[in-house]
């Protein structure tokens, strides 16, 4: 950190963009960053009651009330907030104008700034500068993006946690230890012919085993991290006409899936999200489980089997009012054996049509050993109980990994897995009494993989893919 705060900030060319959503609102914020932006502000901004005011002479963190003018006259009343390098989000000089939130006002104000010397910012350019100037690391930059896009409380919390740098600190510590082992090995190599061991091979093995363990824990945390950031992948399966689309609509509260009386009309799968309490569920309605001659429908069924395998949670729905309801117990038992108790909830639908549904449900529970929720998807009855059951299943999934730091992004997961492999390779080489050079090589690549995550070692290509996903003004 200390080297970063002392780093000389090279201010880049001035950029400007709207930082709030485009549209009508009470207020909008336009931000500028880069070389000479206080001077650019001075070309357009007049502070009320202080004709001699110059943003260029202003201290940082101070707000000034006044008007913005262009060639034609007054544009709007604004609050100008000045930040002085390095104490700003980008570590460059920054000025933010809070103006009235109309699209035309914003366009005029931005145009005034472009005329005065700014260029329009690229998507993610402010955050990119914050990263390049060492204000935040790559993980924190990504966390800002995830926080903005978070659709559930849990996803938001995880992003905030990452933004605060908890994962970064953990990775930096890991990297430091790898670096020490690696440096000792490389030093040994520098001694050339002489047979020196600066670190006993037993100590090195101990070190690496511990490291491997910690990296693996992070790799494993991705499962839970993904549940939080992407939502719980939930599939609804069952025979045609069981009421799957109806349930989906009830859960989503709107008419999304096509509900029909003809068996086999949900040909493909549809994916929709909803948030219950703190958890986001990603719901997929699959094609009905039924032998079919139709080509398209068969493809749909094939896909639904794949989806079932990938799901975190399986909702098996049957029509409890049908005379043959008991025949499905066999299929449900098979599901139970294949996918396990922790993932499966049986939904006995159309309780409104079966007066003895409670007895049937009890029997189903006994025969299959599964959690069974009785509902009427059409009338919206029993949905609370079902949601409660889904929530407690997820809690159980969550408990599988009570890691304090979670990996939530595919990019981080892949780098960590590569790092774990490299450490494993180093351990095997060590076991085979391989040459120091080979072991050092594996540790060096593990180091690079970990460095890739926080941005210590990073290519332009990775930066572009990350920041291109941001919106303009971030
Ligand atoms: P899917 O093929 O499993 O997606 O089944 P649908 O959701 O298309 O439902 C098939 C039929 O059953 C439709 O006519 C629905 O209105 C009806 N249905 C679904 N749920 C219920 C329910 O709880 N009670 C009753 N009475 N009818 C239902």
């Amino acid at each position: 950190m200390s080297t970063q705060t002392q780093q000389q900030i090279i201010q880049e060319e001035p950029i400007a963009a709207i930082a709030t959503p485009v549209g009508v609102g009470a207020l909008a914020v336009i931000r500028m960053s880069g070389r000479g932006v206080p001077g650019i502000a001075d070309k357009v901004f007049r502070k009320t009651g202080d004709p001699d005011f110059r943003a260029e002479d202003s201290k940082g963190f101070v707000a000034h009330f006044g008007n913005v003018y262009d060639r034609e006259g007054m544009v709007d009343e604004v609050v100008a907030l000045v930040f002085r390098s390095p104490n700003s989000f980008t570590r460059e000089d920054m000025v933010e104008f809070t103006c009235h939130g109309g699209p035309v006002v914003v366009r005029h104000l931005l145009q005034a700034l472009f005329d005065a010397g700014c260029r329009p910012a690229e998507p993610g350019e402010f955050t990119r500068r914050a990263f390049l100037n060492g204000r935040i690391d790559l993980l924190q930059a990504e966390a800002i993006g995830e926080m903005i896009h978070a659709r559930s409380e849990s996803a938001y919390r995880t992003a905030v946690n990452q933004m605060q740098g908890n994962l970064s600190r953990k990775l930096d510590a890991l990297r430091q230890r790898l670096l020490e082992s690696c440096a000792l090995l490389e030093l040994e190599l520098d001694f050339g012919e002489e047979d020196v061991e600066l670190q006993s091979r037993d100590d090195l093995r101990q070190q690496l085993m511990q490291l491997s363990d910690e990296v693996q824990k992070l790799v494993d945390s991705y499962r839970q991290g993904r549940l939080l950031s992407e939502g719980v992948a939930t599939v609804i399966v069952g025979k045609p006409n069981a009421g799957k689309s109806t349930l989906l609509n009830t859960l989503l509260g709107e008419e999304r899936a096509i509900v029909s009386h003809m068996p086999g009309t949900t040909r493909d799968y549809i994916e929709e999200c909803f948030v219950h309490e703190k958890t986001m569920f990603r719901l997929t309605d699959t094609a009905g489980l039924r032998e079919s001659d139709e080509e398209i429908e068969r493809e749909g069924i094939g896909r639904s089997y794949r989806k079932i395998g990938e799901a975190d949670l399986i909702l098996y729905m049957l029509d409890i009012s049908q005379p043959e309801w008991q025949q499905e117990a066999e299929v449900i038992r098979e599901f139970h054996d294949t996918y396990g108790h922790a993932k499966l909830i049986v939904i006995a639908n159309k309780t409104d049509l079966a007066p003895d549904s409670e007895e049937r449900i009890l029997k189903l529970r006994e025969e299959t050993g599964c959690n069974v929720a009785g509902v009427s998807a059409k009338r919206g009855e029993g949905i609370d109980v079902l949601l409660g059951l889904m929530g407690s299943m997820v809690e159980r999934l969550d408990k599988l990994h009570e890691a304090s730091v979670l990996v939530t992004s595919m990019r981080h997961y892949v780098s960590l897995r590569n790092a774990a492999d490299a450490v494993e390779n180093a351990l095997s080489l060590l076991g085979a009494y391989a040459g120091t050079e080979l072991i050092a090589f594996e540790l060096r690549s593990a180091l690079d993989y970990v460095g890739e995550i926080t941005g210590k070692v990073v290519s332009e290509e990775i930066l572009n893919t990350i920041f291109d996903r941001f919106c303009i003004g971030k």
Side-chain angles (χ1 to χ4, degrees):
M1 265 329 258
S2 61
T3 53
Q4 285 177 351
T5 36
Q6 286 153 16
Q7 179 187 336
Q8 184 70 39
I9 306 297
I10 300 162
Q11 301 209 32
E12 292 194 54
E13 58 178 330
I15 50 172
I18 179 168
T20 42
V22 180
V24 177
L27 298 170
V29 174
I30 286 171
R31 58 181 5 180
M32 290 195 284
S33 180
R35 202 168 47 237
V37 294
I40 294 177
D42 287 331
K43 291 188 191 166
V44 301
F45 177 74
R46 295 283 163 273
K47 183 170 174 166
T48 304
D50 185 359
D52 297 329
F53 170 79
R54 284 169 56 81
E56 232 172 2
D57 305 328
S58 169
K59 286 188 299 196
F61 301 127
V62 184
H64 308 275
F65 179 68
N67 297 323
V68 166
Y69 296 87
D70 63 13
R71 279 177 230 137
E72 276 150 38
M74 187 176 132
V75 175
D76 193 14
E77 252 178 5
V78 301
V79 173
L81 188 52
V82 179
F83 300 87
R84 298 317 295 246
S85 173
N87 298 313
S88 77
F89 176 61
T90 57
R91 289 211 159 154
E92 300 178 325
D93 279 335
M94 286 184 82
V95 178
E96 282 181 8
F97 289 111
T98 305
C99 63
H100 291 106
V104 183
V105 181
V106 166
R107 202 172 61 228
H108 278 289
L109 212 159
L110 270 175
Q111 193 55 53
L113 298 180
F114 297 151
D115 291 345
C118 280
R119 73 155 165 80
E122 307 277 340
E125 199 169 2
F126 291 93
T127 317
R128 188 182 186 123
R129 289 186 180 188
F131 163 68
L132 291 172
N133 287 327
R135 162 75 171 67
I136 51 174
D137 69 22
L138 208 49
L139 274 173
Q140 292 169 309
E142 286 170 295
I144 292 174
E146 280 181 28
M147 190 181 77
I148 296 171
H149 292 118
R151 283 183 286 184
S152 70
E153 183 70 24
S154 317
Y156 163 71
R157 284 276 149 231
T158 317
V160 169
N161 193 297
Q162 186 171 317
M163 206 166 69
Q164 287 173 326
N166 293 347
L167 182 55
S168 310
R169 273 191 290 279
K170 173 118 197 158
L171 291 174
D172 281 344
L174 275 178
R175 199 166 176 274
Q176 197 51 44
R177 282 161 52 197
L178 264 170
L179 200 61
E180 278 159 22
S181 294
C182 200
L184 286 175
L185 286 181
E186 283 172 353
L187 211 57
E188 283 178 20
L189 287 171
D190 286 346
F191 280 98
E193 305 293 300
E194 297 163 55
D195 219 2
V196 274
E197 271 188 16
L198 292 172
Q199 183 177 28
S200 89
R201 290 302 180 256
D202 271 348
D203 283 354
L204 182 59
R205 181 173 301 113
Q206 283 291 325
Q207 266 274 6
L208 291 186
M209 273 165 41
Q210 249 182 32
L211 271 168
S212 164
D213 222 45
E214 286 175 41
V215 177
Q216 197 54 47
K217 273 199 190 116
L218 283 174
V219 170
D220 293 343
S221 78
Y222 179 58
R223 185 180 151 73
Q224 191 195 348
R226 197 183 50 79
L227 285 186
L228 296 182
S229 65
E230 289 177 16
V232 182
T234 309
V235 303
I236 314 179
V237 290
K239 285 189 178 166
N241 264 342
K244 299 181 295 296
S245 318
T246 310
L247 177 72
L248 196 75
N249 287 337
T250 306
L251 289 176
L252 297 172
E254 50 193 300
E255 295 281 314
R256 282 287 168 84
I258 310 146
V259 185
S260 99
H261 295 273
M262 289 285 293
T265 43
T266 316
R267 288 197 168 143
D268 209 333
Y269 63 85
I270 322 165
E271 196 174 89
E272 296 281 1
C273 295
F274 77 95
V275 176
H276 174 63
E277 291 184 345
K278 288 180 184 167
T279 312
M280 181 165 79
F281 290 91
R282 245 180 329 119
L283 268 179
T284 308
D285 176 16
T286 61
L289 290 177
R290 189 184 67 123
E291 294 297 318
S292 164
D293 299 333
E294 271 186 74
E295 200 59 35
I296 312 169
E297 190 164 293
R298 235 185 327 194
E299 174 54 13
I301 289 171
R303 279 197 215 172
S304 55
Y305 279 118
R306 263 202 307 283
K307 278 271 155 190
I308 296 169
E310 292 162 7
D312 300 311
L313 198 58
I314 302 166
L315 307 178
Y316 186 102
M317 182 179 256
L318 81 161
D319 182 343
I320 198 80
S321 72
Q322 290 290 315
E324 59 269 25
W325 66 276
Q326 242 170 326
Q327 290 166 13
E328 282 200 57
E330 189 53 38
V331 185
I332 293 170
R333 262 197 301 272
E334 249 173 62
F335 261 78
H336 187 268
D337 292 346
T338 315
Y339 301 112
H341 184 73
K343 267 189 170 190
L344 184 64
I345 297 175
V346 175
I347 303 174
N349 191 29
K350 309 198 190 180
T351 49
D352 55 307
L353 296 181
D356 59 344
S357 64
E358 280 191 20
E359 289 149 45
R360 292 182 179 191
I361 287 168
L362 267 178
K363 196 144 181 213
L364 202 59
R365 220 174 258 147
E366 271 170 25
E367 284 183 13
T368 63
C370 290
N371 286 305
V372 184
V375 306
S376 167
K378 197 170 178 176
R379 296 194 184 174
E381 288 162 10
I383 303 296
D384 285 353
V385 177
L386 172 64
L387 285 172
L389 209 50
M390 287 166 72
S392 62
M393 289 283 215
V394 174
E395 249 170 57
R396 222 176 313 158
L397 286 176
D398 267 6
K399 290 242 160 60
L400 293 178
H401 294 290
E402 271 187 331
S404 55
V405 185
L406 291 178
V407 174
T408 55
S409 126
M410 180 69 145
R411 185 181 81 79
H412 309 159
Y413 170 73
V414 171
S415 299
L416 276 168
R417 233 186 27 201
N418 287 335
D421 287 349
V423 175
E424 276 307 309
N425 289 346
L427 271 169
S428 316
L429 288 168
L430 207 55
Y433 302 101
T436 308
E437 226 170 290
L438 295 175
I439 301 168
F441 174 81
E442 291 296 341
L443 292 189
R444 180 58 59 192
S445 41
L447 209 51
D448 285 351
Y449 285 125
V450 176
E452 230 169 50
I453 304 175
T454 51
K456 290 246 164 25
V457 186
V458 78
S459 71
E460 190 66 13
E461 197 187 336
I462 292 182
L463 287 187
N464 288 343
T465 39
I466 290 171
F467 290 107
D468 285 354
R469 282 199 307 246
F470 277 71
C471 40
I472 291 175
K474 254 338 289 173

